[in-house]
Every structure is written in structure tokens, then in C-alpha cells.
Amino acid sequence: MSEALAWLVATFVTLPIFTFYIIYIITVKTTKNKKKSLKLAVDVSACFFIIAVYFIAYEIWSKSLLWVIIIFILIVAMIFTIIHWKVSDDIQFGKLLKGIWRFNFLLFVIFYLVLSAYGLFISIYLVT
């Protein structure tokens, strides 16, 4: 049982797009609400994209860049907080956190795709 769980977690971390798709399909089938399902899939799979970016960067450069990822997320949070404060004059904490988390999802999907392509390109041209 523990091997199956380890395999499942490893698959979700290695292929976060698969995680996103599975969560979306399961929630669409259960709730029949595509918008709510998409938001839930984004919220859950964002964590897997962040972890995947960390491991891809570690494989490419053989250095832990966790501190860079954390600082990046904090900078995004600060920028979002300032913009939210300027626009609405009052900070709605729940709305702010959702915005930060979903924006980080978009950024880390882009990072995941770029780092995957870069890692593939480097591995092909370094081997040959």
C-alpha cells in the first residue's frame, strides 16, 4: 500500500498537468460545475507545480533553489497586496490570498513548461 501511495505522489509531482486534469475531471463529474471544478483544480495543483519546478531546477543545476522560489512567492504576494490595497482601500484577506495563489499557479505553470523544455534541450545537446 505504501508503494502505491509513493508511486501516486511521485506521479502527481512529476506530472502536475496530469494532477490538474485528474482533479478537474473528478470534480466536474461529482459537482457538474465546470467553473468551480476549474478553480479547485487550479488551487490544488498549484502546490504540485511549485514542487515540480523545484525538482526540475534541482535536476538542471544541481542546486536547491527553494529560497528563490519562496522569495519569488513572497514578492508576488507583496505586489498583489499593494495593488489590492491601492484599488480597494481595504484588504479582503480571503480574496487576496486566492488571487496570489492563482497568479502563482499561472507563473509556475509557465516556469514548469520553460524549465521542462530547457532541461530537455540541455540533456539532448549535452549528451550528443
Side-chain angles (χ1 to χ4, degrees):
M1 181 67 180
S2 64
E3 289 180 19
L5 183 62
W7 178 84
L8 188 65
V9 170
T11 302
F12 286 162
V13 169
T14 307
L15 299 170
I17 293 172
F18 177 71
T19 306
F20 174 81
Y21 182 71
I22 292 295
I23 294 169
Y24 177 73
I25 292 299
I26 290 172
T27 54
V28 163
K29 296 292 183 188
T30 57
T31 65
K32 308 286 190 228
N33 187 341
K34 291 182 180 182
K35 187 175 180 180
K36 186 177 180 180
S37 299
L38 181 66
K39 289 179 180 182
L40 181 65
V42 165
D43 290 341
V44 173
S45 64
C47 185
F48 290 104
F49 276 102
I50 293 168
I51 295 168
V53 165
Y54 167 76
F55 282 116
I56 292 172
Y58 186 79
E59 282 298 316
I60 292 172
W61 294 296
S62 298
K63 292 181 182 175
S64 174
L65 297 177
L66 183 62
W67 64 275
V68 175
I69 292 172
I70 291 171
I71 289 174
F72 184 78
I73 291 171
L74 290 174
I75 289 172
V76 167
M78 286 189 299
I79 291 170
F80 257 73
T81 304
I82 291 169
I83 291 171
H84 187 76
W85 175 62
K86 292 283 186 182
V87 169
S88 66
D89 289 330
D90 187 30
I91 295 177
Q92 300 168 356
F93 195 66
K95 188 175 181 181
L96 178 65
L97 282 178
K98 283 182 188 177
I100 292 167
W101 190 247
R102 291 180 180 157
F103 188 74
N104 277 317
F105 168 80
L106 289 175
L107 290 176
F108 278 94
V109 166
I110 293 168
F111 292 158
Y112 174 77
L113 295 173
V114 168
L115 285 176
S116 295
Y118 177 75
L120 186 63
F121 180 78
I122 292 299
S123 67
I124 289 172
Y125 285 106
L126 286 180
V127 171
T128 57

